[in-house]
Amino acid sequence: MTRVMILLTVASSVVLFTRAPAGEKTKPTVLNAGELKVFNLTNDERKKKELRPLVLSPFLSKLARAHSANMAKQMKMEHKLDDKTPFDRLRDAGYKFAAASENIGMGDEDATIEMIMEAWMASPAHRANILQTEFTEIGVGIARDQKGLIYYTQLFGRPQK
């Protein structure tokens, strides 16, 4: 039996913070095939609603991948790990955002990425993040734990101007 789990988002609302000095540059992140598929399926959903596609952010992908890896390491699917929310992780990394949110999911080895996307799209809060017009960019991360469970993170953002 295939197992797919998703967890409700931390927040779908816009969060504002003061602007900080220009930050550090990031190295390009190369997505693996699964992460690229999540990115493409996300933009496919946006296209169905005639929304602008999200731009792939190497910076957000690095953070999303790190969160998926941390969930896999701790073997738990949570937005808040090590007493840090997605917003804490974004601020700690120096990402100055005007809007941000996160979707996470988990599946066993038989769960397909399409099944994860279907679960997110069936959830009003996750769907709202995917279709949120306030977001302009996305990061995607996938990691596997020692038992073979796969953890998914979509990190949405709009940087401050």
Side-chain angles (χ1 to χ4, degrees), residues 69-103:
N70 195 19
M71 288 191 294
K73 177 182 172 190
Q74 295 188 37
M75 299 178 74
K76 57 183 169 181
M77 185 181 67
E78 300 284 341
H79 287 288
K80 187 176 183 179
L81 286 177
D82 305 321
D83 290 324
K84 294 195 182 254
T85 68
F87 305 111
D88 295 329
R89 291 189 297 274
L90 286 165
R91 281 190 299 270
D92 289 351
Y95 184 78
K96 308 302 176 199
F97 58 94
S101 198
E102 175 180 83
N103 286 347

Side-chain angles (χ1 to χ4, degrees), residues 86-151:
F87 305 111
D88 295 329
R89 291 189 297 274
L90 286 165
R91 281 190 299 270
D92 289 351
Y95 184 78
K96 308 302 176 199
F97 58 94
S101 198
E102 175 180 83
N103 286 347
I104 58 175
M106 181 181 72
D108 63 20
E109 62 227 11
D110 294 327
T112 66
I113 291 170
E114 289 84 0
M115 292 166 82
I116 297 296
M117 280 300 299
E118 287 172 16
W120 280 332
M121 291 305 290
S123 161
H126 293 91
R127 179 184 181 89
N129 278 343
I130 290 167
L131 301 177
Q132 175 59 256
T133 59
E134 290 293 318
F135 301 138
T136 58
E137 54 187 24
I138 187 173
V140 179
I142 299 175
R144 185 182 300 263
D145 73 14
Q146 61 187 346
K147 292 184 178 179
L149 294 176
I150 305 166
Y151 297 81

Side-chain angles (χ1 to χ4, degrees), residues 9 15 17 22 26 28 35 39 42 44 64 75 81 91 95 115 123 128-129 139 148 154 158:
T9 59
V15 180
F17 290 91
T26 60
E35 292 164 338
F39 171 70
T42 300
D44 288 349
M75 299 178 74
L81 286 177
R91 281 190 299 270
Y95 184 78
M115 292 166 82
S123 161
N129 278 343
Q154 288 179 310
R158 178 171 52 88

Side-chain angles (χ1 to χ4, degrees), residues 1 16 24 53 60 121-122 135 143:
M1 177 181 201
L16 298 173
E24 57 195 63
L60 292 180
M121 291 305 290
F135 301 138

